[in-house]
Amino acid sequence: MKSGLHFLLAAKCCEIAELQQLTLTAELVDASARLVHELQRERGMSNLYLGSAGQRFGAERLAQVAQTAHAEQALRQHFDQLDTQATQLRQGARLFARIAYVLHGLAALPALRQQVGRGAWLPAQATAAYTRLIAGLLAVIFEAADTASDPAISRLLVGFFNFMQSKELAGQERATGSALFASGQADDAGQQRLTYLIESQERALEVFAQFAPGEAVALWQRSDDPNTRAALERMRRMLGATVAGGALNPELSQRWFDTCTERMEAMKAVEDHLSKDLRALCHQRREHLGQELQALDQVPTSVLPVGLDFFDATPDGSPSPGLPLGTQLQHSVLELVQAQAQRLQAMSAELDTTRASLNERKLVERAKGLLMAQRQLSEAQAHKTLRQLAMNQNRRLVDVAEAVLALADLTTGTVHPHTDAATHK
Amino acid sequence: MKSGLHFLLAAKCCEIAELQQLTLTAELVDASARLVHELQRERGMSNLYLGSAGQRFGAERLAQVAQTAHAEQALRQHFDQLDTQATQLRQGARLFARIAYVLHGLAALPALRQQVGRGAWLPAQATAAYTRLIAGLLAVIFEAADTASDPAISRLLVGFFNFMQSKELAGQERATGSALFASGQADDAGQQRLTYLIESQERALEVFAQFAPGEAVALWQRSDDPNTRAALERMRRMLGATVAGGALNPELSQRWFDTCTERMEAMKAVEDHLSKDLRALCHQRREHLGQELQALDQVPTSVLPVGLDFFDATPDGSPSPGLPLGTQLQHSVLELVQAQAQRLQAMSAELDTTRASLNERKLVERAKGLLMAQRQLSEAQAHKTLRQLAMNQNRRLVDVAEAVLALADLTTGTVHPHTDAATHK
């Protein structure tokens, strides 16, 4: 019959196995972040190439395609190394489904490049296609962040994901602004989109600053060069303040692109730092758990805690004040069991807090998607609608999102799954 | 190189593996619920035995001990069958730690019975000891509910857990009321505790009604016999309305006990129903996923989706309206990938809603524990404090709990884990 100590050891082994899994995940996140960065560069160059009717960035684009292919190969190798037989992986289903989606996107990449090379697509079309593939890669990282059950690692991943998200929004801002400057005139939809992209970037950066380690946040603050920043803000203001239809200086297109690019390269350096942090943290936690396991292994299995000690400790696992805290072996196993339960409880509480930020994100995204579909709004318009509702009602964005979704459930008469499980396809 | 289809199949296999795991969990939940029921009966009889100074319930208690031992053996067998080598189990660490705790509690059970048999303990002491062991068993079921990632099953488990919780609170109400009646006079602490137990029962039953299948809810409504109910409410009123120190009729002690017991037996029948539902649902979902896997297996692996279709569908995975939805094989794999991603997304959204209720519970329990520790309050007093705060501020109980915990974090200067990971013990 298995003893309490046996299950205590098994619990520790579970934690270690999960950390090993997280170490693999950290590598996957790193490789995904690299590919995202190369795709962002390729998207920018494709944009300029198409915008200049193939006159500029021809050679740079081809060089970049080779570099993207390199990052793609590296990520594919990580995918191949994933143990798809290990069907017991936490969230395995969702992670694998995201990867399947990305692989289909990557398979379509050569055809996309052909369209760009032939100048068959408008810049906006090419941008949208690259953006979709990048969104698929970010979803892989989101699943990874949602999977971690070590709170410290989960916090880091949430910070990392939000930083990548803000970088991607910065990339979209670069593309949208480039197109506006290049066209020579301001337009309402473009300006709305820029407002949305800037606001969402800032929100994501706030979450990053809240969850990422202080060092990484400080690095980002240092590397956000004041001159680049001032130049960016000046051009942002031009784009925003010009009345719709008003003239924009097309000459600024290149300068805008370069300034945004400089900022994105600085962001890449922060990503590399976060990635190193993540791997170091996984390693550290792994070592620590290994030591704990060793200590547990040395407890003689013959020592069985019997008697009434169990009922003397306080329910949360801490020994009651009156109890002599000793080195007696009989106590010690019970203490270990209680300490482990307490530690896991505290971890789970920590984790709830971190996950809450991911859940809020999901809710806002879903409410936005719903508004886009139901009212035929752009992402920028849907975002603006939610924000205005929140401001008018003096509520948090996530509360408004929840209300929007609840209302939709009500009006579409969503059926709870347990009542239609039999017929559910 | 692994294809998108490969990962799609792997995702499906993950879902199936998890469901197999859930099927085992369902059996564990069933066996735990049975042992909880027997322990509740044993607690009640021990109480009456001690309360009558060993004059009554001597034989019944011994017969019940044998019955409890039977349920204990059955649960231990389930524990033994758990694959503790499968360290990749979702939430394995927490589940195993809970089981370790329960096993230590079970090891202490003979000593507890000895104390009762010798009449060495007060009824309140014995009640507290049994209650702690039962709480450990309920925690096992809570972990199981927190683990399920199929939303329908998760809903059922949340309903089940809350029903078990309300039954346990009813059991504690039985014990507290018996002691009050037997003592012949009302007292403030006992009355506060009864109020707390009744309110918490009702809250748990509301959550049950919200999450459990309609049939189980209807069964509970039918089996909550109006006569039993009326008798219960009358005696509850006597217990509550008598001023502290006022006389209670000790003769009613037995009638109170029997009435409460009748109600708890009706609750057991609902538990059995829920347990059957749970196993049926696991089986049904398992069959359904098996069929989906079979369908996927028949997709020829030679068909690779290439070209620009990937960029034509809408980002949430549904095909764009203009796209000819055909039987073409090239489309079909992409469609499957998108359908799977969409389905998992919807499942995850559903799940967030269900889990939210578990998280709220955790927050309220933690805030209560904090108040009890910091201000030396009883559980009833801590609950009352939270409820009054909520009423005064016109906020939900969970919001007040969150505020209490946030304040404690602030005043104790809780350090975020990533900053002290290196020194964390």
Side-chain angles (χ1 to χ4, degrees), chain A residues 38 85 89 111 138 167 188 264 301 350 399:
Chain A
E38 300 304 340
Q85 300 304 309
L89 286 189
L138 286 174
K167 175 161 172 269
D188 201 41
M264 286 180 73
T301 49
E350 266 280 337
D399 294 332

mmCIF file of all heavy atoms in Angstrom, chain A residues 38 85 89 111 138 167 188 264 301 350 399:
data_model
loop_
_atom_site.group_PDB
_atom_site.id
_atom_site.type_symbol
_atom_site.label_atom_id
_atom_site.label_comp_id
_atom_site.label_asym_id
_atom_site.label_seq_id
_atom_site.Cartn_x
_atom_site.Cartn_y
_atom_site.Cartn_z
ATOM 1 N N GLU A 38 12.219 38.223 -37.176
ATOM 2 C CA GLU A 38 12.609 38.193 -38.590
ATOM 3 C C GLU A 38 11.399 38.448 -39.487
ATOM 4 O O GLU A 38 11.506 39.142 -40.507
ATOM 5 C CB GLU A 38 13.255 36.842 -38.944
ATOM 6 C CG GLU A 38 14.516 36.489 -38.145
ATOM 7 C CD GLU A 38 15.626 37.537 -38.241
ATOM 8 O OE1 GLU A 38 15.614 38.353 -39.194
ATOM 9 O OE2 GLU A 38 16.499 37.557 -37.344
ATOM 10 N N GLN A 85 4.223 12.387 -28.414
ATOM 11 C CA GLN A 85 3.659 11.165 -27.832
ATOM 12 C C GLN A 85 3.269 11.400 -26.379
ATOM 13 O O GLN A 85 2.456 10.671 -25.819
ATOM 14 C CB GLN A 85 4.682 10.018 -27.878
ATOM 15 C CG GLN A 85 5.140 9.669 -29.282
ATOM 16 C CD GLN A 85 3.972 9.340 -30.191
ATOM 17 O OE1 GLN A 85 3.132 8.534 -29.863
ATOM 18 N NE2 GLN A 85 3.906 10.002 -31.341
ATOM 19 N N LEU A 89 0.888 15.965 -21.425
ATOM 20 C CA LEU A 89 1.380 17.324 -21.218
ATOM 21 C C LEU A 89 0.259 18.255 -20.824
ATOM 22 O O LEU A 89 -0.820 18.211 -21.384
ATOM 23 C CB LEU A 89 1.982 17.863 -22.519
ATOM 24 C CG LEU A 89 3.327 17.316 -22.928
ATOM 25 C CD1 LEU A 89 3.839 18.111 -24.100
ATOM 26 C CD2 LEU A 89 4.291 17.425 -21.760
ATOM 27 N N ALA A 111 4.267 31.129 -51.011
ATOM 28 C CA ALA A 111 3.279 31.702 -51.932
ATOM 29 C C ALA A 111 3.103 33.194 -51.660
ATOM 30 O O ALA A 111 2.958 34.004 -52.589
ATOM 31 C CB ALA A 111 1.943 30.974 -51.778
ATOM 32 N N LEU A 138 2.543 34.243 -31.831
ATOM 33 C CA LEU A 138 2.324 34.812 -30.497
ATOM 34 C C LEU A 138 1.355 33.945 -29.696
ATOM 35 O O LEU A 138 1.477 33.819 -28.477
ATOM 36 C CB LEU A 138 1.794 36.248 -30.605
ATOM 37 C CG LEU A 138 2.824 37.296 -31.035
ATOM 38 C CD1 LEU A 138 2.163 38.649 -31.260
ATOM 39 C CD2 LEU A 138 3.932 37.426 -30.005
ATOM 40 N N LYS A 167 5.749 44.787 -28.859
ATOM 41 C CA LYS A 167 6.675 44.919 -29.992
ATOM 42 C C LYS A 167 5.933 44.689 -31.307
ATOM 43 O O LYS A 167 6.168 45.383 -32.293
ATOM 44 C CB LYS A 167 7.820 43.922 -29.834
ATOM 45 C CG LYS A 167 8.789 43.877 -31.000
ATOM 46 C CD LYS A 167 10.115 43.241 -30.595
ATOM 47 C CE LYS A 167 11.013 43.025 -31.787
ATOM 48 N NZ LYS A 167 10.838 41.694 -32.408
ATOM 49 N N ASP A 188 -8.830 59.075 -41.899
ATOM 50 C CA ASP A 188 -9.449 58.814 -40.606
ATOM 51 C C ASP A 188 -9.197 57.392 -40.109
ATOM 52 O O ASP A 188 -8.804 57.186 -38.959
ATOM 53 C CB ASP A 188 -10.954 59.073 -40.733
ATOM 54 C CG ASP A 188 -11.573 59.332 -39.386
ATOM 55 O OD1 ASP A 188 -10.935 60.058 -38.587
ATOM 56 O OD2 ASP A 188 -12.660 58.802 -39.126
ATOM 57 N N MET A 264 12.373 49.082 -32.410
ATOM 58 C CA MET A 264 12.090 47.647 -32.388
ATOM 59 C C MET A 264 13.350 46.825 -32.151
ATOM 60 O O MET A 264 13.298 45.763 -31.519
ATOM 61 C CB MET A 264 11.384 47.224 -33.666
ATOM 62 C CG MET A 264 9.931 47.685 -33.659
ATOM 63 S SD MET A 264 9.041 47.210 -35.134
ATOM 64 C CE MET A 264 8.853 45.454 -34.857
ATOM 65 N N THR A 301 11.871 5.357 5.050
ATOM 66 C CA THR A 301 10.471 5.034 4.752
ATOM 67 C C THR A 301 9.836 4.260 5.889
ATOM 68 O O THR A 301 8.615 4.146 5.954
ATOM 69 C CB THR A 301 10.358 4.185 3.468
ATOM 70 O OG1 THR A 301 11.294 3.115 3.573
ATOM 71 C CG2 THR A 301 10.633 5.004 2.238
ATOM 72 N N GLU A 350 -0.511 32.517 -5.750
ATOM 73 C CA GLU A 350 0.334 33.394 -6.572
ATOM 74 C C GLU A 350 -0.057 33.304 -8.045
ATOM 75 O O GLU A 350 -0.168 34.283 -8.762
ATOM 76 C CB GLU A 350 1.783 32.895 -6.487
ATOM 77 C CG GLU A 350 2.631 33.540 -5.468
ATOM 78 C CD GLU A 350 3.135 34.877 -5.950
ATOM 79 O OE1 GLU A 350 3.211 35.136 -7.186
ATOM 80 O OE2 GLU A 350 3.428 35.665 -5.076
ATOM 81 N N ASP A 399 -14.175 44.595 -17.068
ATOM 82 C CA ASP A 399 -15.557 44.457 -16.593
ATOM 83 C C ASP A 399 -16.541 44.723 -17.727
ATOM 84 O O ASP A 399 -17.562 44.038 -17.856
ATOM 85 C CB ASP A 399 -15.825 45.424 -15.440
ATOM 86 C CG ASP A 399 -15.011 45.071 -14.204
ATOM 87 O OD1 ASP A 399 -14.693 43.879 -14.051
ATOM 88 O OD2 ASP A 399 -14.688 45.984 -13.429
#
